[in-house]
């Protein structure tokens, strides 16, 4: 039995004594303890070594006191398992030197045996569950098929992912073939995470908001729907599709237990779109954590008030920035934990 199951109860819609809190990208570069490990081991070495992934995953639980741990890994381990080379360039980001551009490139991609290619993730999850010793739940995750296609086709980060979009608009059949292969891999991968012990799963569609509402349905949501349908009866699932507020109603209808929202939508409006029977997660502007601590405390309270008690998990609207001071992250978490509904 978990000692702190606030997030699980909130995802079920149960009343809780307070709002739970965690931060996207909470295991990462703002923590000196993470930097110390980063200076010794390469990125994928950290992901592939269960003892390192475990240590990094638990750091924010000990250091900032969040109500959940999120597996230390990356969404790009899936394209890697599917046969693409993925590099992580220091302070630049991901680089895929041979991206998918044509039907010939697609022949290099496969739906892999996940135990063979991603077994290290399952081993890490088992170790983390053991080390957490039921203190807080463990969140597993995967990238949404659309967001993974963005990297697999564009080959690197981008503000617009125009080459990925052009691929989908000019070679739709190929795009859908690739999206289905990613979906099939992701379902097997997430089922493996559940079997290994993940308590909650989050699907990161970081670039969902780059699509029009119609294209979001066509290129993203129809694949997310398949994933949620395959896992929702085993563990609660949270969909975070950044910028895709226009489809909160459709995302709520997938059977997900929670929806992540960014800071560009009012909580009241998100609630209206998503309906009352789903938990919302978010939506503090990550850059606001650079404000003085009293400002952070005040703004966190304003956020909590806007969401109201119940059906809300406090979080950032996107990942924590590397230049956030640790005591600012802690102020964010503590303000949520200490907040009293009067
Ligand atoms: O060496 C380093 O420290 C590199 C920085 C880093 C880290 C800490 C990368 C490279 N990935 C990660 C870990 C990571 N990535 C986690 C760990 C768990 C956590 O604490 O949250 C998670 C959940 C991710 C997910 C991820 N990777 C997403 C989705 C979430 C989001 O922030 O939008 C995306 C888009 C990626 C790709 C990626 N990997 C790394 C970077 C810098 C990026 C983003 C590049 C870009 O902006 O295009």
């Amino acid at each position: 039995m978990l000692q702190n199951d606030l997030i699980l109860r909130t995802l079920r819609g149960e009343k809780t004594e307070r709002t739970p809190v965690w931060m996207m990208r909470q295991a990462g570069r703002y923590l000196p303890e993470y930097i110390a490990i980063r200076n010794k081991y390469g990125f994928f070495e950290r992901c592939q070594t269960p003892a390192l992934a475990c240590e990094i995953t638990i750091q924010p639980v000990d250091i900032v006191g969040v109500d959940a741990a999120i597996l230390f890994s990356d969404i790009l381990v899936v394209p890697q398992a599917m046969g693409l080379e993925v590099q992580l360039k220091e302070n630049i980001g991901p680089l895929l030197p041979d991206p998918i551009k044509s039907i010939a490139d697609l022949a290099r991609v496969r739906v892999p045996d996940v135990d063979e290619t991603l077994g290290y993730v399952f081993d890490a999850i088992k170790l983390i569950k053991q080390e957490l010793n039921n203190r807080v739940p463990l969140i597993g995750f995967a990238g949404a098929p659309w967001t993974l296609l963005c990297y697999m086709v564009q080959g690197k980060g981008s503000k617009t992912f125009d080459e990925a979009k052009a691929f989908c608009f000019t070679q739709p059949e190929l795009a859908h073939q690739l999206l289905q292969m990613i979906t099939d891999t992701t379902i097997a991968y997430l089922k493996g995470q559940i079997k290994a012990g993940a308590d909650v799963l989050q699907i990161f569609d970081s670039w969902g908001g780059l699509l029009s509402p119609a294209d979001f349905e066509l290129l993203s949501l129809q694949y997310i729907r398949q994933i949620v349908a395959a896992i929702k009866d085993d563990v609660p699932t949270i969909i975070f599709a950044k910028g895709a507020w226009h489809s909160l109603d459709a995302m709520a209808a997938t059977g997900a237990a929670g929806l992540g929202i960014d800071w560009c939508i009012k909580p009241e409006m998100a609630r209206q779109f998503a309906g009352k029977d789903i938990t919302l997660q978010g939506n503090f502007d990550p850059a606001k954590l650079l404000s003085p601590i009293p400002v952070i405390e005040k703004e966190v309270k304003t956020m909590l008030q806007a969401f109201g008690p119940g059906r809300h998990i406090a979080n950032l609207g996107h990942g924590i920035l590397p230049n956030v001071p640790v005591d600012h992250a802690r102020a964010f978490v503590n303000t949520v934990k200490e907040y009293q509904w009067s």
Side-chain angles (χ1 to χ4, degrees):
M1 268 292 286
L2 286 163
Q3 287 154 27
N4 175 345
D5 64 350
L6 279 170
I7 283 181
L8 297 175
R9 284 189 280 140
T10 301
L11 285 168
R12 288 197 293 263
E14 294 170 17
K15 278 226 152 41
T16 53
E17 44 289 16
R18 65 168 172 86
T19 299
V21 58
W22 68 282
M23 294 180 296
M24 287 192 278
R25 295 290 196 95
Q26 66 189 16
R29 286 174 294 174
Y30 72 105
L31 289 175
E33 292 83 351
Y34 173 80
I35 297 288
I37 296 180
R38 184 178 187 252
N39 289 341
K40 280 200 257 173
Y41 308 93
F43 184 78
F44 288 111
E45 193 179 0
R46 276 172 269 152
C47 294
Q48 289 164 8
T49 311
L52 294 177
C54 176
E55 185 177 347
I56 298 169
T57 298
I58 296 178
Q59 280 175 350
V61 178
D62 292 333
I63 300 165
V64 283
V66 282
D67 291 312
I70 178 162
L71 167 72
F72 177 77
S73 185
D74 197 81
I75 60 168
L76 297 171
V77 300
V78 166
Q80 203 171 44
M82 293 178 75
L84 289 190
E85 184 186 343
V86 181
Q87 303 169 4
L88 264 164
K89 296 274 175 203
E90 195 116 334
N91 301 323
I92 299 177
L95 179 71
L96 292 77
D98 299 305
I100 307 294
K101 300 287 179 192
S102 67
I103 191 147
D105 294 326
L106 202 64
R108 292 190 275 122
V109 180
R110 59 176 188 274
V111 176
D113 176 326
V114 293
D115 289 312
E116 251 165 52
T117 51
L118 294 161
Y120 64 87
V121 176
F122 309 145
D123 292 340
I125 290 176
K126 288 178 203 154
L127 184 63
I128 295 162
K129 282 296 289 180
Q130 195 183 314
E131 292 295 311
L132 276 175
N133 196 19
N134 288 322
R135 278 195 287 162
V136 291
L138 175 63
I139 304 171
F141 69 91
W146 158 251
T147 286
L148 292 182
L149 177 143
C150 282
Y151 290 101
M152 291 168 87
V153 172
Q154 190 97 14
K156 55 183 186 304
S158 164
K159 281 200 164 59
T160 57
F161 284 100
D162 52 327
E163 291 171 46
K165 282 185 172 182
F167 174 81
C168 294
F169 298 153
T170 58
Q171 307 182 78
E173 259 181 51
L174 220 55
H176 284 290
Q177 247 180 1
L178 180 56
L179 287 165
Q180 191 60 53
M181 290 172 83
I182 302 170
T183 302
D184 295 344
T185 307
T186 302
I187 289 172
Y189 179 46
L190 291 178
K191 280 184 176 290
Q193 293 191 24
I194 296 169
K195 211 171 99 192
D199 299 293
V200 177
L201 292 173
Q202 177 154 317
I203 299 167
F204 284 94
D205 199 4
S206 306
W207 312 123
L210 297 179
L211 296 168
S212 72
D215 287 332
F216 179 71
E217 168 57 37
L218 189 70
L219 296 169
S220 184
L221 192 53
Q222 65 161 318
Y223 297 98
I224 291 178
R225 202 176 279 125
Q226 293 181 38
I227 297 169
V228 175
I231 58 178
K232 72 177 173 58
D233 293 336
D234 299 324
V235 293
T237 306
I238 301 168
I239 306 173
F240 171 64
K242 187 171 180 295
W245 51 269
H246 48 70
S247 297
L248 284 169
D249 54 347
M251 287 190 266
T254 60
L259 299 179
I261 56 171
D262 63 47
W263 61 97
C264 298
I265 180 166
K266 293 176 190 163
E268 301 84 341
M269 204 177 264
R271 175 54 72 200
Q272 203 181 325
F273 289 163
K276 61 179 180 10
D277 295 328
I278 195 157
T279 295
L280 294 176
Q281 174 175 279
N283 72 340
F284 204 74
D285 178 351
K288 275 251 162 82
L289 289 186
L290 299 168
S291 318
I293 287 177
V295 176
I296 295 173
E297 291 170 346
K298 182 169 162 284
E299 298 259 347
V300 169
K301 288 175 194 163
T302 305
M303 171 185 75
L304 291 170
Q305 280 292 340
F307 281 97
R311 283 280 193 205
H312 175 226
I313 298 169
N315 203 317
L316 308 175
H318 203 184
I320 189 167
L321 300 165
N323 54 341
V324 168
V326 178
D327 57 337
H328 289 213
R330 211 179 274 122
F332 174 79
V333 169
N334 285 339
T335 307
V336 178
K337 287 169 114 175
E338 287 157 16
Y339 190 76
Q340 305 271 347
W341 293 101
S342 45

